[in-house]
């Protein structure tokens, strides 16, 4: 059974700034497990690098006002289809991201302020029954 993982946690340079969120603890945890690396924002057609976005109400906007809602939704849908095809029951997703964050995300003011909420892809995956963890709590959630 595959574990879905935010690709940036594994060291893939798919972040908005062209870098990664390499997390050695996650890499070690999945060393002998089957994983499915995903980047919903890239799946949605966004480039690397790209302008960072936050969820602002019903839209996903960049700091300069561009509306990327359609790309975020498309990427989340593709991620969900891949997860279902792989039979994934668990996901380790990057905290706070407008795609991958779960429980807390940035509040749409581009001021590094967190609020309760889920990223677009994380929300879709959770609604489909996939258990969501992040790089800080995965050891407690995925046994
Ligand atoms: Fe990482 Fe998810 Fe952002 Fe892609 S969309 S860079 S996987 S946090």
């Amino acid at each position: 059974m595959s574990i879905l993982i935010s690709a940036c946690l594994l060291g893939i340079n798919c972040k908005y700034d062209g870098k990664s969120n390499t997390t050695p603890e996650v890499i070690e945890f999945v060393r002998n497990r089957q994983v499915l690396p995903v980047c919903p924002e890239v799946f949605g057609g966004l480039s690397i690098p790209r302008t960072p976005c936050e969820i602002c109400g019903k839209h996903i906007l960049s700091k300069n006002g561009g509306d990327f809602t359609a790309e975020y939704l498309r990427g989340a849908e593709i991620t969900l289809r891949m997860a279902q095809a792989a039979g994934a029951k668990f996901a380790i997703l990057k905290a706070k991201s407008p795609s991958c964050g779960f429980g807390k995300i940035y509040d749409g003011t581009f001021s590094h302020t967190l609020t309760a909420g889920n990223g677009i892809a994380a929300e879709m995956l959770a609604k489909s029954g996939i258990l969501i963890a992040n790089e800080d709590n995965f050891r407690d959630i995925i046994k």
Side-chain angles (χ1 to χ4, degrees), residues 6-8 14-16 21 38-41 50 94 97 99-100:
S6 292
C8 60
C14 52
K15 248 177 93 177
Y16 72 88
N21 293 306
V38 295
C39 179
E41 293 174 20
R50 54 189 173 277
K94 176 72 185 78
S97 152
S99 287
C100 293

Side-chain angles (χ1 to χ4, degrees), residues 2-6 34-38 79-80 82-83 86 88-93 125 130 132:
S2 293
I3 301 175
L4 199 78
I5 311 245
S6 292
Q34 196 173 328
V35 297
L36 176 61
V38 295
T79 301
L80 176 58
M82 289 178 67
K89 299 277 184 262
F90 305 103
I92 303 175
L93 300 181
L125 293 166
I130 293 173
I132 311 286

Side-chain angles (χ1 to χ4, degrees), residues 4 14 16 23 36 39-40 46 48 55 63 70-71 78 92 99 103 108-110 130-131 134-135 138-140:
L4 199 78
C14 52
Y16 72 88
T23 307
L36 176 61
C39 179
L46 298 173
I48 307 168
I55 298 177
K63 199 170 186 176
E71 287 84 352
I78 291 169
I92 303 175
S99 287
T109 62
F110 295 93
I130 293 173
L131 193 61
N134 63 33
E135 69 274 26
F138 68 94
R139 286 186 188 283
D140 298 327

Side-chain angles (χ1 to χ4, degrees), residues 113-136:
T113 307
L114 292 171
T115 188
N118 300 326
I120 304 299
E123 170 87 7
M124 246 185 234
L125 293 166
K127 276 189 176 160
S128 81
I130 293 173
L131 193 61
I132 311 286
N134 63 33
E135 69 274 26
D136 297 320

Side-chain angles (χ1 to χ4, degrees), residues 62-110:
S62 69
K63 199 170 186 176
N64 51 15
D67 190 333
F68 293 95
T69 309
E71 287 84 352
Y72 273 72
L73 286 171
R74 187 184 313 130
E77 284 161 7
I78 291 169
T79 301
L80 176 58
R81 285 206 294 274
M82 289 178 67
Q84 290 172 329
K89 299 277 184 262
F90 305 103
I92 303 175
L93 300 181
K94 176 72 185 78
K96 305 172 198 166
S97 152
S99 287
C100 293
F102 190 69
K104 281 185 185 170
I105 53 170
Y106 291 115
D107 70 352
T109 62
F110 295 93

